[in-house]
Amino acid sequence: MILDGWFYTGATIGLLSAIICIIATIFRNHPADSSILSLAAVELYLFVYAIYAFISPVPLNGPAWEFWGYIITALILPPIAFFWGITDKTRWSNLVMAAIGPTILVMIHRLQVIWHG
């Protein structure tokens, strides 16, 4: 299996987002701006990844519907966590946002498996 720069970039952004959100959970009693910005960084990465996948001539080694299903699901998760975070004004909203980073990491790994076979 090939793990390319897209995976390592996504892994780094996802893990940093999780760390930032966990630290915010420890020190803040309400949703932190840093947590929200880290979610925005994850969403931006996913958007660029989706554009790259759309224009890339590399054929998929698995079903295309599965690949695009993962991308669409990954693109939907950060906005859901964001809206949860801004409506739930407790400390735990930061922890909900922290779960997105590792979730996206696993999804990006699965996308790499589908992409490279």
Side-chain angles (χ1 to χ4, degrees), residues 4-37:
D4 58 12
W6 286 102
F7 172 77
Y8 292 115
T9 303
T12 302
I13 292 171
L15 291 177
L16 285 175
S17 174
I19 290 168
I20 289 168
C21 293
I22 289 170
I23 291 171
T25 301
I26 294 168
F27 293 110
R28 302 289 297 263
N29 289 327
H30 57 281
D33 291 341
S34 58
S35 296
I36 293 170
L37 289 175

Side-chain angles (χ1 to χ4, degrees), residues 1 9 18 25 27 31 39-40 44 49 53-55 57 61 63-64 67 74-75 86 91 97 99 101 108:
M1 174 178 43
T9 303
T25 301
F27 293 110
L39 277 181
L44 178 64
Y49 186 90
F54 184 72
I55 63 174
N61 291 323
F67 182 82
L75 283 167
I86 63 170
R91 162 185 308 241
M97 290 187 269
I108 292 296

Side-chain angles (χ1 to χ4, degrees), residues 43-75:
E43 185 70 13
L44 178 64
Y45 164 76
L46 290 170
F47 185 70
V48 171
Y49 186 90
I51 291 171
Y52 171 75
F54 184 72
I55 63 174
S56 181
V58 179
L60 298 174
N61 291 323
W65 60 268
E66 183 181 10
F67 182 82
W68 289 106
Y70 269 95
I71 287 185
I72 291 168
T73 303
L75 283 167

